[in-house]
């Protein structure tokens, strides 16, 4: 891929003479973080008034294109982030990257083997049906446009999804077609702890797609189901067995509290896995996760409308199977920033605060840092920062690091 | 001596004979292999515990040889007589038994009764589900009054008095009996040179010294590689510097003399029994787990903990094999009439002892075998008022002595706030720091306990933590603040604290 020339010289020097003005409609952890940094809130309707806008996706869709932004202004989304976050776009982008690499004869192609077989329906229904007849098994159906586990279900017979068969054939039908879904081969051998399945929520921060610059947070958490995992066909319909979204688990019969007892930190997870499988296997698995993150971003880098005003925080949902191989479940451009528990709050607060430090609206960084707070830069204009190694799940020494890089300026 | 006539001894002999016949050992190699076989079948450990049990019951009496008598009286101050301990234990056991009998009458439920089998096939399938649990109809004001807490154990320990009226010097603190002998840092370093400051340890140095990590791991692997029964002495020597995580299951099994294949059979049998018979004390299990077992590390293993706990309570072999078993309640003729087949009433929070095994060992039957062996050897002394160096009073006395000797300002300051050192440390000791330290640190600590075959590392850690936070504590002016100060274990690295405490006076 072509790399853009190093544009550090054109980077604005930062706002040092006054408090930074922000606008947002949210009232959760990110709001607290911005206030705690000493920023002041302004009305988001007045475009010229804010230095930073924490926008929602609707604003990006409807208003961004008609808005002129000054050099110093920043926004928390890229215009077409859906290339990454909508499941149907992600599938297409990954397939395209894979084909390109295979044509070039690169063996990076096998590093893309982190996405289960996926088909967008009703469009590709016939392709899906062919695959299903050949391999069978259990598949998972997810709506492309919805979140928090809504509308997801598992199936193991074509008759259960016949609704999507009609859409591709009867395009002239006056009735509205079925909702766009992806059908994906279900990972039926997830890694379980105490018999329970889990997935990992990880945070990646992209400051630019051209050149691709990615920061990866050492912190994150694993979300467990309350029910023991089983591939028993009679339990296929029970989403509390199969889906780890907190929203789903909150409605489980077992759920009693406030989200407590549902999560492990990534450090705890890494420690537990290391106890059972040894340092080498677990290190390799975590490096593979880091590679997964970067490859998924490379897949869309060419199509993303890069904009120096934009940066974006992604919530990655990754799952390990029983052989410790990581699988990409989904990417969120608006990861949840509300907190269930005190630990949750401190994790998100620290993570967002470090994110803003990297975004550097105050112009305090030199540009040569590779670790800021709990984030490590994993990919930059010169490619991999430290290939083959990862700090994911390592100790997060953000206070020491921030003192070092910001010195007395840190408030 | 009774030991040779005991059930345990007969069983061990039979096992060894079985093994020898099965494997067709040649006569020449038999002599050399016998101790190894005995170790691998857990026979050595069982006989050892049996001997402790008989010593504990005082049945040797005056017939002990003089050399052993001297060993018992090593600290020149005759310890409280065995009878004192027995009396205290008896009091506790009688109280619990009485409360359980009353509960049984109030609820109209016997100590043990069969579980009702579901009638329909579908319900039977659900019934066989892994997460089987007993349901228990109790009234809303049901309280766990019939069980006991670590505070009860502390109160009883404080009642022990030394039979020597001339109190030895240097005795301070709440314990009336001086039980610990010489536990000064110098004495410990002399006995255990492995914890000198210069020595590298797993749990401390492996994080940053890759060479040490790899070399130690390789040495450990060679020790256990290919041997069904690794040599106990070499494993013990190795474990004094800590055990890498991947080797722990084999090494702990060797150090504890745990017979895992037999434990597997027992566990499966007990699990089936769990589903056919319900005990009155099962009402205790789920609330205990909810109150004490569901912290951030262990919540995932709720069903495993329940199963291990329920199986343990039903395991009659525990009362035979444990080094220390509480007496039968007064008026009860045999073990069959007691509410707990395992012979021990679980202290409140007992699940904390079980939880780390569920996390560290993914094979449930293996976790059960190791937990049971650990209980029979060490935990049994912590959860009863037990005599000797494997008992709780010994540890309490040791901590008090250590804290006072290294920092005499602490005890008076605490007294001003209405606290004693033992108020702070006794929960840590009763549970062997399980549920306080992070699971990895807990495992590192118990590596040392197993390697040295002594509970003193627990006392060293308790004293070390107090010393670590002494300066901060001396500035506090309320008992609650002090309790808060000592409630945070997230940053505690057990072995580093112990090494720092023991080596401090050398500087």
């Amino acid at each position: 891929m072509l790399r853009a020339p190093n544009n550090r010289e054109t980077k604005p020097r930062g706002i040092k003479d006054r408090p930074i003005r922000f606008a947002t409609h949210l009232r959760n952890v990110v709001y607290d973080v911005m206030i705690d940094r000493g920023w002041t809130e302004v009305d988001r309707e007045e475009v010229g008034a804010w230095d930073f806008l924490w926008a929602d996706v609707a604003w990006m869709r409807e208003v961004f294109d008609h808005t002129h932004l000054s050099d110093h202004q920043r926004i928390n989304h890229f215009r077409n982030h859906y290339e990454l976050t909508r499941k149907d776009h992600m599938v297409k982008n990954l397939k395209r990257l894979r084909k390109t690499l295979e044509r070039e004869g690169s063996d990076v192609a096998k590093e893309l083997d982190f996405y289960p077989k996926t088909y967008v329906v009703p469009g590709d229904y016939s392709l899906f049906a062919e695959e299903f007849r050949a391999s069978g098994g259990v598949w998972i159906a997810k709506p492309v446009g919805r979140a928090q586990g809504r509308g997801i279900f598992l199936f193991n017979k074509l008759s259960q999804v016949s609704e999507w068969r009609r859409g591709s054939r009867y395009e002239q039908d006056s009735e509205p077609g079925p909702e766009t879904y992806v059908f994906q081969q279900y990972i039926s051998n997830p890694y379980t702890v105490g018999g329970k399945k889990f997935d990992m929520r990880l945070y990646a921060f992209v400051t630019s797609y051209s050149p691709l610059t990615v920061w990866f947070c050492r912190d994150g958490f694993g979300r467990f189901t309350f029910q023991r995992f089983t591939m028993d066909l009679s339990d296929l319909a029970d989403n509390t067995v199969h889906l780890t979204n907190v929203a789903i688990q909150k409605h489980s019969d077992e759920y009693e509290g406030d989200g407590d007892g549902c999560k492990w930190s990534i450090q705890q997870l890494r420690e537990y896995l290391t106890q059972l499988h040894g340092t080498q296997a677990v290190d390799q698995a975590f490096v593979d996760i880091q590679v997964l993150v970067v490859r998924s971003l490379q897949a869309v880098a060419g199509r993303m409308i890069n904009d120096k005003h934009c940066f974006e925080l992604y919530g990655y949902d990754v799952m390990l199977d029983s052989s410790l191989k990581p699988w990409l479940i989904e990417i969120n451009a608006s990861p949840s920033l509300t907190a269930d528990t005190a630990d949750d709050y401190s994790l998100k607060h620290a993570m967002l605060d470090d994110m803003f430090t990297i975004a550097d609206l105050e112009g305090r960084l030199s540009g040569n840092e590779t670790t800021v707070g709990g984030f490590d830069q994993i990919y930059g204009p010169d490619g991999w920062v430290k290939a083959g190694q990862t700090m994911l799940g390592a100790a997060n020494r953000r206070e020491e690091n921030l003192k070092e890089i910001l010195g007395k300026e840190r408030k | 001596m009774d030991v040779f006539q005991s059930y345990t001894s007969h069983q061990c002999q039979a096992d060894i004979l079985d093994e020898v016949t099965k494997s067709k050992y040649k006569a020449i190699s038999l002599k050399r292999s016998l101790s190894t076989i005995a170790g691998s079948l857990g026979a050595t450990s069982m006989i050892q515990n049996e001997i402790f049990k008989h010593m504990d019951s005082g049945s040797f009496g005056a017939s002990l040889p003089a050399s052993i008598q001297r060993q018992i009286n090593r600290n020149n101050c005759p310890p409280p007589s065995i009878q004192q301990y027995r009396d205290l234990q008896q009091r506790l056991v009688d109280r619990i038994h009485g409360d359980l009998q009353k509960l049984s009458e109030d609820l109209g439920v016997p100590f043990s009764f069969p579980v009702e089998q579901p009638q329909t096939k579908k319900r039977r399938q659900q019934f066989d589900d892994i997460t089987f649990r007993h349901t228990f109809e109790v009234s809303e004001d049901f309280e766990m009054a019939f069980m006991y807490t670590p505070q009860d154990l502390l109160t009883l320990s404080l009642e022990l008095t030394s039979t020597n009226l001339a109190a030895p010097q240097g005795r301070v603190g709440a314990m009336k009996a001086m039980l610990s002998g010489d536990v000064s840092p110098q004495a410990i370093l002399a006995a255990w040179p492995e914890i000198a400051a210069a020595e590298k340890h797993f749990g401390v140095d492996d994080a940053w010294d890759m060479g040490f990590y790899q070399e130690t791991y390789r040495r450990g692997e060679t020790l256990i590689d290919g041997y069904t029964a690794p040599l106990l002495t070499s494993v013990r020597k190795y474990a004094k510097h800590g055990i890498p995580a991947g080797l722990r299951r084999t090494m702990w099994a060797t150090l504890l003399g745990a017979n895992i294949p037999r434990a597997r059979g027992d566990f499966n049998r007990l699990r089936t029994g769990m589903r056919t018979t319900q005990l009155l004390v099962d009402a205790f299990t789920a609330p205990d787990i909810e109150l004490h077992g569901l912290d951030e590390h262990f919540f995932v293993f709720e069903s495993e903990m329940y199963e291990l706990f329920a199986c343990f309570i039903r395991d009659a072999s525990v009362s035979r094999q444990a080094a220390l078993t509480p007496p039968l309640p007064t008026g009860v003729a045999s073990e069959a009439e007691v509410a707990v087949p395992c012979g021990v009433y679980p202290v409140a929070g007992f699940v904390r002892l079980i939880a780390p095994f569920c996390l560290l060992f993914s094979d449930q039957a293996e976790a059960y075998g190791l937990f049971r062996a650990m209980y029979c050897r060490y935990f049994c002394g912590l959860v009863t008022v037990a005599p000797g160096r494997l008992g709780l009073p010994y540890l309490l006395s040791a901590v008090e002595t250590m804290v006072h000797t290294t920092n005499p300002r602490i005890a008076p300051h605490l007294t001003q706030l209405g606290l004693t050192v033992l108020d702070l440390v006794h929960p840590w000791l009763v549970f062997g720091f399980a549920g306080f330290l992070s699971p990895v640190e807990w495992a590192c600590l118990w590596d040392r306990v197993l390697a040295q075959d002594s509970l003193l590392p627990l006392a060293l850690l308790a004293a070390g933590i107090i010393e670590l936070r002494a300066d901060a504590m001396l500035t506090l002016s309320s008992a609650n603040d002090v309790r808060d100060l000592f409630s945070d274990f997230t940053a505690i690295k057990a072995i580093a604290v112990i090494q720092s405490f023991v080596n401090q006076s050398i500087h």
Side-chain angles (χ1 to χ4, degrees):
Chain A
M1 291 174 206
L2 288 177
R3 295 194 193 117
N6 188 331
N7 60 353
R8 286 189 192 137
E9 299 84 12
T10 57
K11 178 180 162 178
R13 265 166 288 155
I15 302 162
K16 297 190 211 270
D17 50 343
R18 54 170 175 78
I20 299 200
R21 301 171 303 217
F22 73 91
T24 179
H25 69 290
L26 294 174
R27 286 293 176 272
N28 55 19
V29 185
V30 72
Y31 181 83
D32 291 347
V33 170
M34 293 191 281
I35 295 283
D36 290 341
R37 287 178 80 87
W39 294 6
T40 44
E41 190 183 5
V42 297
D43 184 359
R44 69 178 174 139
E45 300 304 322
E46 280 189 56
V47 176
W50 45 259
D51 305 311
F52 173 71
L53 173 68
W54 187 279
D56 54 20
V57 293
W59 191 95
M60 290 303 292
R61 203 171 44 234
E62 285 150 25
V63 184
F64 180 77
D65 290 334
H66 319 297
T67 313
H68 171 72
L69 295 173
S70 324
D71 270 355
H72 69 279
Q73 287 184 302
R74 294 282 176 277
I75 287 207
N76 67 318
H77 282 298
F78 285 92
R79 174 67 182 88
N80 56 341
H81 60 77
Y82 49 78
E83 294 284 350
L84 196 61
T85 58
R86 263 181 66 119
K87 302 169 184 64
D88 48 352
H89 286 281
M90 190 70 227
V91 167
K92 289 193 180 109
N93 287 319
L94 279 173
K95 280 184 179 158
R96 196 167 4 123
L97 178 62
R98 191 186 200 123
K99 285 208 178 75
T100 315
L101 291 172
E102 276 168 358
R103 247 184 287 131
E104 288 173 11
S106 156
D107 59 15
V108 167
K110 69 172 175 354
E111 277 183 8
L112 288 175
D113 183 25
F114 52 76
Y115 210 50
K117 279 208 178 66
T118 312
Y119 299 91
V120 185
V121 293
D124 289 338
Y125 183 87
S126 40
L127 287 171
F128 153 72
E130 204 181 301
E131 175 65 41
F132 187 86
R133 284 189 197 99
S135 55
V138 175
W139 290 65
I140 182 166
K142 310 187 205 182
V144 296
R146 291 193 263 170
Q148 298 203 323
R150 289 192 286 265
I152 299 186
F153 63 93
L154 275 74
F155 63 92
N156 63 333
K157 294 193 187 58
L158 276 183
S159 53
Q160 292 165 316
V161 293
S162 51
E163 192 183 327
W164 282 270
R165 181 164 51 93
R166 286 184 296 122
S168 60
R169 233 192 277 170
Y170 300 104
E171 283 171 42
Q172 305 306 316
D173 219 306
S174 56
E175 286 173 27
E179 189 181 348
T180 313
Y181 260 66
V182 291
F183 289 169
Q184 195 176 60
Q185 249 181 345
Y186 186 59
I187 299 163
S188 49
N189 62 333
Y191 195 95
T192 56
V193 175
K196 298 180 177 99
K197 171 175 155 169
F198 67 94
D199 77 352
M200 296 186 279
R201 163 53 61 90
L202 309 167
Y203 295 101
F205 182 51
V206 175
T207 50
S208 158
Y209 275 99
S210 177
L212 180 61
T213 313
V214 187
W215 296 73
F216 202 28
C217 187
R218 298 182 187 185
D219 286 333
F221 45 91
R223 297 174 295 206
F224 288 92
T225 58
F226 278 98
Q227 304 282 12
R228 294 182 79 93
F229 181 75
T230 170
M231 283 304 289
D232 214 316
L233 294 179
S234 54
D235 287 307
L236 274 187
D238 188 350
N239 276 0
T240 57
V241 169
H242 293 281
L243 301 189
T244 53
N245 312 64
V246 175
I248 297 280
Q249 293 300 322
K250 274 188 171 148
H251 292 104
S252 144
D253 284 334
E254 302 267 327
Y255 184 76
E256 272 167 36
D258 49 359
D260 232 1
C262 202
K263 295 179 184 169
W264 261 3
S265 70
I266 290 290
Q267 282 83 1
Q268 274 175 292
L269 205 49
R270 188 166 184 168
E271 216 167 50
Y272 173 80
L273 292 172
T274 312
Q275 290 288 305
L276 291 182
H277 301 279
T279 329
Q280 217 174 345
V282 176
D283 280 353
Q284 186 57 50
F286 276 59
V287 166
D288 290 343
I289 293 175
Q290 188 163 287
V291 168
L292 179 160
V293 168
V294 169
R295 295 281 176 238
S296 63
L297 292 166
Q298 284 175 327
V300 301
R303 291 177 73 84
M304 291 298 264
I305 302 165
N306 198 42
D307 188 329
K308 65 178 183 202
H309 302 102
C310 303
F311 51 71
E312 202 158 23
L313 176 74
Y314 298 109
Y316 270 75
D317 290 343
V318 173
M319 213 167 79
L320 291 175
D321 71 13
S322 53
S323 60
L324 289 181
K325 176 181 155 63
W327 293 89
L328 176 62
I329 304 297
E330 130 175 302
I331 307 172
N332 282 287
S334 306
S336 157
L337 296 172
T338 44
D340 292 323
T341 65
D343 282 338
D344 212 22
Y345 185 90
S346 11
L347 185 149
K348 287 176 178 162
H349 195 284
M351 190 257 308
L352 289 165
D353 190 46
D354 292 337
M355 185 200 80
F356 283 120
T357 308
I358 300 173
D360 203 22
L361 279 86
E362 294 96 339
R364 295 180 293 180
L365 298 183
S366 70
N368 296 320
E369 295 87 357
T370 49
T371 302
V372 174
F375 278 86
D376 300 281
Q377 189 182 8
I378 57 175
Y379 200 87
D382 303 316
W384 288 98
V385 173
K386 276 189 196 133
Q389 290 178 43
T390 178
M391 298 299 285
L392 177 65
N396 182 348
R397 301 211 167 87
R398 61 182 295 263
E399 291 293 330
E400 288 164 28
N401 171 273
L402 289 171
K403 220 183 285 186
E404 206 180 292
I405 60 178
L406 297 176
K408 292 203 190 67
E409 284 188 52
R410 174 159 170 72
K411 72 162 186 67
Chain B
M1 284 208 289
D2 285 338
V3 175
F4 291 131
Q5 303 305 319
S6 69
Y7 172 86
T8 313
S9 168
H10 281 296
Q11 183 157 14
C12 292
Q13 286 180 43
D15 283 345
I16 295 176
L17 204 56
D18 260 339
E19 180 71 22
V20 168
T21 324
K22 225 172 30 175
S23 322
K24 300 188 176 61
Y25 278 89
K26 291 200 173 47
I28 300 169
S29 56
L30 190 59
K31 193 169 167 193
R32 249 179 274 145
S33 318
L34 209 51
S35 61
T36 323
I37 300 171
S40 73
L41 293 173
T44 323
S45 167
M46 280 161 70
I47 297 279
Q48 242 183 350
N49 287 346
E50 188 73 22
I51 293 177
F52 269 112
K53 200 206 301 290
H54 280 262
M55 281 174 67
D56 169 37
S57 71
S59 57
F60 287 173
S63 63
L64 278 177
S67 58
I68 298 194
Q69 198 83 42
R70 268 198 301 276
Q71 277 194 339
I72 291 174
N73 293 336
R74 199 183 307 187
N75 51 0
N76 259 358
C77 161
S81 66
I82 300 279
Q83 194 53 44
Q84 268 199 52
Y85 288 99
R86 289 309 257 195
D87 287 340
L88 293 168
Q89 287 175 16
Q90 190 74 53
R91 210 191 315 157
L92 186 65
V93 156
D94 286 343
R95 187 196 100 194
I96 299 174
H97 182 76
D99 284 342
L100 277 172
Q101 272 187 320
K102 184 165 178 306
L103 185 71
S104 167
E105 282 160 20
D106 286 347
L107 292 177
V109 158
F111 281 160
S112 119
F113 53 97
V115 177
E116 278 175 24
Q117 298 280 352
Q119 296 311 312
T120 66
K121 185 174 174 197
K122 179 157 189 238
R123 291 250 26 230
R124 270 203 293 280
Q125 272 176 329
Q126 286 178 337
F127 186 84
D128 283 336
D129 183 78
I130 313 166
T131 54
F132 175 84
R133 275 202 212 185
H134 301 104
T135 50
F136 212 99
E137 295 294 329
V138 291
S139 62
E140 275 174 12
D141 53 4
F142 178 73
E143 269 179 30
M144 297 296 160
F146 60 85
M147 290 307 179
Y148 64 104
T149 63
Q151 182 64 45
D152 290 327
L153 289 170
L154 177 65
T155 318
L156 288 173
S157 301
L158 293 177
E159 288 187 33
L160 287 165
T161 52
S162 178
T163 50
N164 185 348
L165 290 173
Q169 283 177 334
R171 230 215 39 69
V172 285
M175 289 286 287
K176 297 198 202 66
M178 170 113 161
L179 300 166
S180 57
D182 186 6
V183 287
S184 64
Q186 292 86 343
I188 293 181
L189 267 179
W192 295 347
E194 302 80 26
I195 40 174
E199 295 279 326
K200 290 203 180 153
H201 275 261
F202 241 86
V204 181
D205 300 286
D206 55 307
W208 59 271
D209 188 345
M210 275 316 283
F212 169 71
Y213 172 84
Q214 279 163 351
E215 193 255 323
T216 316
Y217 196 96
R218 236 190 333 263
R219 258 194 313 124
E221 268 185 324
T222 6
L223 266 184
I224 63 177
D225 200 17
Y227 298 105
T228 45
L231 285 175
L232 181 59
T233 34
S234 40
V235 170
R236 221 184 253 295
K237 191 165 163 231
Y238 176 86
K240 289 183 183 175
H241 290 267
I243 302 177
L247 307 175
R248 193 166 274 129
R249 15 190 307 264
T250 323
M251 291 208 176
W252 276 23
T254 311
L255 290 167
L256 289 166
N259 186 338
I260 299 296
R262 170 176 302 145
R264 198 178 294 277
D266 288 345
F267 180 65
N268 289 330
R269 186 180 38 84
L270 291 163
R271 209 157 44 158
T272 319
M274 199 176 108
R275 291 159 204 230
T276 51
T277 315
Q278 187 166 345
L279 302 176
L280 180 65
V281 294
D282 283 332
F284 176 81
T285 311
D288 198 48
I289 293 178
E290 268 177 43
L291 284 173
H292 300 277
L294 295 184
D295 76 355
E296 45 166 355
H297 296 287
F298 302 119
F299 70 85
V300 195
F301 303 100
E302 195 177 342
S303 8
E304 273 83 0
M305 289 194 281
Y306 186 91
E307 281 204 337
L308 250 67
F309 200 154
C311 288
F312 178 78
I313 298 219
R314 286 159 169 73
D315 195 343
S317 68
V318 169
S319 62
R320 280 197 302 274
Q321 288 180 24
L324 299 145
T325 313
L328 288 174
T330 323
V332 170
S334 80
E335 285 165 357
E337 294 173 38
V338 168
V340 279
C342 65
V344 58
Y345 298 103
V347 64
F350 190 82
V351 71
R352 298 172 96 132
L353 294 170
I354 299 178
F357 291 85
C358 297
L359 185 146
L360 292 169
F361 307 106
S362 54
D363 180 348
Q364 222 182 330
E366 191 175 43
Y368 181 74
L370 290 169
F371 169 72
R372 184 173 66 175
M374 190 78 112
Y375 176 84
C376 288
R377 183 90 186 99
Y378 298 110
F379 292 163
C380 55
L382 296 173
V383 296
T384 57
V385 182
R389 291 176 179 227
L390 290 180
L392 182 66
Y394 169 76
L395 285 182
L396 292 171
S397 173
V399 173
E400 269 199 324
T401 316
M402 286 177 196
V403 168
H404 179 75
T405 323
T406 49
N407 199 334
R409 296 180 297 159
I410 293 182
H413 181 79
L414 284 176
T415 318
Q416 270 188 319
L417 303 176
L419 282 177
T420 66
V421 169
L422 295 183
D423 284 333
L424 294 172
V425 309
H426 77 270
W428 308 345
L429 297 174
V430 168
F431 296 118
F433 287 93
F436 295 99
L437 288 175
S438 80
V440 174
E441 291 301 321
W442 175 90
C444 287
L445 175 67
W446 280 86
D447 286 341
R448 276 41 175 211
V449 171
L450 288 171
Q452 305 289 4
D453 194 20
S454 158
L455 288 175
L456 215 47
L458 300 182
L460 285 171
L461 181 59
I465 293 175
I466 302 240
E467 179 61 23
L468 197 64
R469 300 200 173 150
D471 289 338
M473 189 198 67
L474 290 166
T475 63
L476 296 174
S477 53
S478 98
N480 281 337
D481 287 341
V482 172
R483 285 190 203 276
D484 283 341
L485 177 69
F486 285 104
S487 64
D488 179 16
F489 279 78
T490 42
I492 301 282
K493 289 233 157 256
I495 308 308
V497 171
I498 292 179
Q499 265 187 311
S500 146
F501 178 75
V502 173
N503 290 288
Q504 59 176 308
S505 55
I506 306 302
H507 302 133

